[in-house]
């Protein structure tokens, strides 16, 4: 379980890949070279705070495409497009022309429907517990309750039932890719060596990579001068706490309105050209460890910390976590919900002081780490599957998570310690291996989805509007 053996993560509801370059996803869950997300992007799934449903009159619905006898309607394309526009605007990006964006969204919906159909045909299932977990994850990324999330979705014309069905479809598509694509990808030592050679040869100003900490204090689109001043003061207050020696992650959790704020605000190491230009310009002359800001954008006020900066593509430091877990593997006789109920009972026993986590791991865990009391040792960001890592990032030392569903089964996770460490050569190679694997996964998935698209019957009807 320690190594990030099979990872693509839950695709966001904009579909297979982002339509345009976007800023950041959850801390540590680095998007791949093609930008494929690792977790549901809360900003995409959920209208930003203050957003309201479009006041434009709804046209009579009509079919824009048929995929293996299943229709895609104009309203589906329109509503998905509106959500993409909201996310781009909330991140200060430039919105593409409406006609181009609608066509791109339609293509993504076609690919999504093909994957869901294939998953169902091959017997892949997603039970309600996994949907509940995904739903809670989206609410948590937005720092709101599930009920408030449903209210905001309803205001944007998305019912609770439809939202949960979209989540279920995304989980179905994810599990299909895990089975048909990810299990086939391997990375050799020779490929790691080749990547390192290429990085050294290509190192230069254009190859800068950054890992930034990010705090966003949002400013509503139509905010007046008084509200802008109030939000600016809040940003200055957050900056002052960091400059006074406060922990950046703790300040991010308290002040940030960005989805990654709940996980300490770290955006993950990535090429500089995959960050907003505003962020790159603001931190260009800053040294590692420096904090800059507040920097104003259409979205609000940003505070940025330079966590790592490298020209070689290989990070030199990382915030590492030391965790242990109990894993129950699901099967025909043990559903995800049943496994979660058993793990909740074990969690309660530890909380009451009547049991030791390590002892329970040795007795119940079905992972190879069971003999060590579930101990996974120290791990850098990106070493665990996304669902596991998101839950781990949300914990404080000593805390135990609620049951977490992943492709391996259902986990109970305890964070023991967290540290900022200089990476050893082996740890750097492990992170490079993850990077190479992600690139190969992107290539394998692109081939796989093209083949699936070629086998599908797709009929275009009237153009979306």
């Amino acid at each position: 379980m320690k190594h990030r053996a099979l990872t693509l993560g839950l695709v966001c509801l904009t579909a297979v890949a982002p339509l345009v370059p976007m800023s950041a996803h959850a801390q540590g869950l680095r998007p791949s070279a093609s930008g494929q997300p690792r977790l549901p992007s809360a900003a995409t799934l959920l209208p930003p705070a203050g957003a309201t449903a479009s006041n434009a009159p709804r046209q009579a619905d009509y079919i824009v495409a048929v995929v293996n006898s299943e229709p895609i309607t104009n309203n589906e394309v329109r509503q998905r497009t509106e959500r993409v526009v909201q996310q781009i605007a909330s991140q200060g990006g430039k919105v593409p022309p409406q006609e181009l964006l609608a066509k791109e969204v339609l293509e993504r919906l076609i690919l999504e429907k093909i994957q869901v159909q294939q998953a169902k045909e091959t017997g892949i299932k997603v039970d309600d517990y996994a949907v509940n977990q995904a739903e809670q994850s989206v609410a948590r990324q937005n720092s709101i309750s599930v009920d408030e999330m449903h209210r905001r979705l309803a205001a944007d014309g998305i019912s609770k039932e439809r939202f949960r069905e979209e989540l279920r479809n995304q989980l179905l598509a994810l599990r299909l890719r895990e089975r048909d694509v990810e299990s086939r990808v391997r990375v050799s030592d020779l490929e790691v060596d080749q990547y390192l050679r290429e990085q050294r040869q290509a190192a230069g100003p254009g190859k800068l990579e950054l890992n930034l900490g990010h705090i966003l204090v949002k400013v509503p689109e139509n905010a007046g001068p008084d509200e802008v001043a109030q939000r600016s003061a809040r940003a200055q207050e957050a900056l002052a706490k960091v400059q006074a020696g406060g922990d950046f992650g703790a300040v991010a959790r308290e002040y940030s309105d960005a989805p990654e704020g709940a996980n300490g605000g770290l955006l993950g190491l990535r090429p500089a050209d995959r960050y907003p230009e505003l962020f790159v310009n603001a931190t260009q002359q800053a040294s590692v460890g420096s904090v800059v800001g507040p920097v104003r954008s259409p979205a609000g006020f940003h505070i940025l910390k330079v966590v790592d900066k490298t020209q070689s593509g290989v990070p030199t430091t990382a915030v590492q976590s030391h965790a242990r877990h109990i894993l129950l593997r699901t099967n025909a006789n043990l559903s995800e919900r049943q496994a979660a109920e058993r793990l909740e009972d074990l969690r309660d026993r530890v909380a009451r002081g009547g049991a030791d986590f390590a002892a329970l791991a040795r007795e119940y865990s079905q992972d190879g780490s069971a003999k060590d009391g579930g101990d996974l040792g120290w791990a850098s960001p990106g070493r665990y599957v996304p669902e596991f890592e998101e839950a781990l990032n949300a914990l404080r030392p000593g805390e135990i998570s609620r049951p977490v569903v992943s492709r391996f089964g259902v986990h109970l996770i305890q964070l023991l310690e967290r540290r900022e460490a200089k990476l050893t050569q082996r740890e750097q190679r492990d992170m490079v291996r993850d990077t190479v694997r992600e690139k190969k996964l992107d290539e394998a998935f692109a081939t796989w989805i093209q083949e699936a698209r070629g086998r599908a019957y797709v009929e275009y009807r009237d153009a979306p509007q």
Side-chain angles (χ1 to χ4, degrees):
M1 175 57 223
K2 178 166 183 179
H3 295 292
R4 195 182 186 193
L6 302 171
T7 57
L8 264 183
L10 178 64
V11 295
C12 69
L13 293 184
T14 48
V16 178
L19 303 172
V20 295
M22 298 180 185
S23 65
H25 294 278
Q27 179 263 353
L29 307 180
R30 300 185 308 279
S32 62
S34 70
Q36 184 157 322
R38 301 295 179 229
L39 278 178
S41 171
T44 303
L45 296 171
L46 193 60
T52 58
S54 173
N55 292 323
R58 295 280 178 182
Q59 297 178 340
D61 203 8
Y62 58 90
I63 294 174
V64 296
V66 177
V67 182
N68 294 327
S69 79
E70 288 191 30
I72 296 175
T73 68
N74 182 60
N75 277 350
E76 287 181 79
V77 176
R78 182 169 179 168
Q79 290 174 346
R80 185 71 65 86
T81 301
E82 288 175 356
R83 286 149 64 187
V84 173
V85 168
Q86 287 171 348
Q87 180 176 8
I88 297 170
S90 72
Q91 297 179 342
K94 183 178 180 181
V95 178
Q98 181 69 21
E99 183 179 355
L100 175 63
L101 189 58
K103 288 181 179 179
E104 188 72 9
V105 167
L106 173 59
E107 291 305 314
R108 298 303 191 264
L109 284 169
I110 289 171
L111 295 178
E112 181 182 307
K113 193 169 287 288
I114 289 170
Q115 293 174 78
V116 172
Q117 290 171 348
Q118 190 171 335
K120 290 179 178 179
E121 289 169 1
T122 55
I124 297 175
K125 297 179 180 180
V126 172
D127 72 16
D128 286 344
Y129 186 85
V131 177
N132 291 344
Q133 180 179 297
E135 192 174 43
Q136 291 161 8
S137 174
V138 176
R140 188 164 52 247
Q141 289 180 48
N142 282 272
S143 301
I144 59 176
S145 67
V146 172
D147 288 342
E148 171 63 13
M149 179 179 70
H150 289 155
R151 187 195 66 76
R152 283 173 52 187
L153 286 164
D156 205 53
I158 305 167
S159 69
K160 171 184 175 180
E161 292 73 21
R162 179 182 162 200
F163 178 67
R164 287 177 59 84
E165 187 61 22
E166 286 189 342
L167 282 177
R168 190 185 305 276
N169 286 343
Q170 293 303 312
L171 287 165
L172 283 168
L174 167 62
R175 293 183 181 183
L176 176 69
R177 287 194 300 278
E178 291 168 359
R179 189 193 67 185
D180 289 359
V181 182
E182 299 182 34
S183 60
R184 303 174 185 174
V185 175
R186 299 287 184 272
V187 178
S188 68
D189 287 338
L190 288 176
E191 288 173 312
V192 173
D193 293 337
Q194 177 65 23
Y195 178 87
L196 289 171
R197 283 195 298 270
E198 290 173 354
Q199 291 300 304
R200 284 193 293 267
Q201 292 170 1
K207 293 296 180 180
L208 175 66
E209 293 197 348
L210 296 171
N211 183 7
L212 299 180
H214 178 221
I215 296 172
L216 168 65
V217 177
K218 279 189 176 180
V219 176
E221 184 177 351
N222 298 319
D226 290 344
E227 187 171 7
V228 172
Q230 182 183 29
R231 304 304 289 171
S232 176
R234 178 173 172 82
Q236 291 289 350
E237 183 179 317
L239 177 63
K241 285 193 175 184
V242 174
Q243 291 176 333
D247 177 69
F248 189 92
V251 176
R253 282 187 285 270
E254 180 180 357
Y255 286 87
S256 184
D257 297 318
E260 68 275 357
N263 295 324
L266 290 185
L267 301 177
L269 189 71
R270 68 188 66 182
D273 61 9
R274 289 187 49 219
Y275 274 106
E277 186 177 356
L278 179 72
F279 289 14
V280 177
N281 291 339
T283 58
Q284 195 166 22
Q285 303 302 322
S287 59
V288 173
S290 298
V291 178
V292 299
V295 180
R296 186 71 160 95
S297 82
F301 295 96
H302 307 265
I303 298 169
L304 303 166
K305 178 180 179 180
V306 182
V307 178
D308 199 4
K309 181 184 288 189
T310 176
Q311 296 289 128
S312 66
V314 183
T316 57
T317 62
V319 177
Q320 297 180 324
S321 299
H322 181 195
R324 58 188 178 187
H325 78 140
I326 299 171
L327 170 67
L328 297 183
R329 299 186 184 276
T330 56
N331 51 48
N333 299 316
L334 183 68
S335 69
E336 290 168 347
R337 180 173 295 280
Q338 290 170 328
E341 288 172 351
R342 293 185 189 180
L343 290 174
E344 282 283 10
D345 179 64
L346 298 183
R347 186 178 188 274
D348 289 343
R349 288 169 60 182
V350 175
R352 291 195 302 266
D356 175 68
F357 191 101
L360 293 177
R362 281 189 284 269
E363 182 177 356
Y364 293 102
S365 183
Q366 296 171 319
D367 183 57
S369 63
K371 64 182 183 302
D372 299 316
D375 197 323
L376 297 170
W378 287 100
S380 300
R383 298 302 294 156
Y384 299 124
V385 293
E387 305 88 346
F388 188 102
E389 188 153 327
E390 183 198 9
L392 179 62
N393 289 339
L395 297 175
R396 291 181 172 84
E399 286 185 334
I400 301 175
S401 71
R402 294 291 180 182
V404 177
V405 177
S406 83
R407 70 206 59 184
F408 299 106
V410 187
H411 312 257
L412 200 63
I413 308 165
Q414 183 178 39
L415 174 64
L416 300 175
E417 303 172 82
R418 189 171 278 134
R419 70 184 183 187
E420 187 167 353
K422 186 173 180 62
L423 297 177
T424 65
Q425 186 175 6
R426 179 176 178 178
E427 289 170 331
Q428 287 180 313
R429 285 183 65 85
D430 284 342
M431 296 192 79
V432 169
R433 190 178 300 275
D434 289 339
T435 300
V436 176
R437 177 176 171 77
E438 287 177 353
K439 184 174 183 294
K440 292 186 70 173
L441 281 171
D442 290 337
E443 294 168 351
F445 178 71
T447 300
W448 179 84
I449 195 64
Q450 286 174 2
E451 292 173 351
R453 176 68 167 80
R455 292 191 299 268
Y457 170 77
V458 179
E459 177 187 343
Y460 291 95
R461 300 281 182 88
D462 296 331
Q465 298 180 2

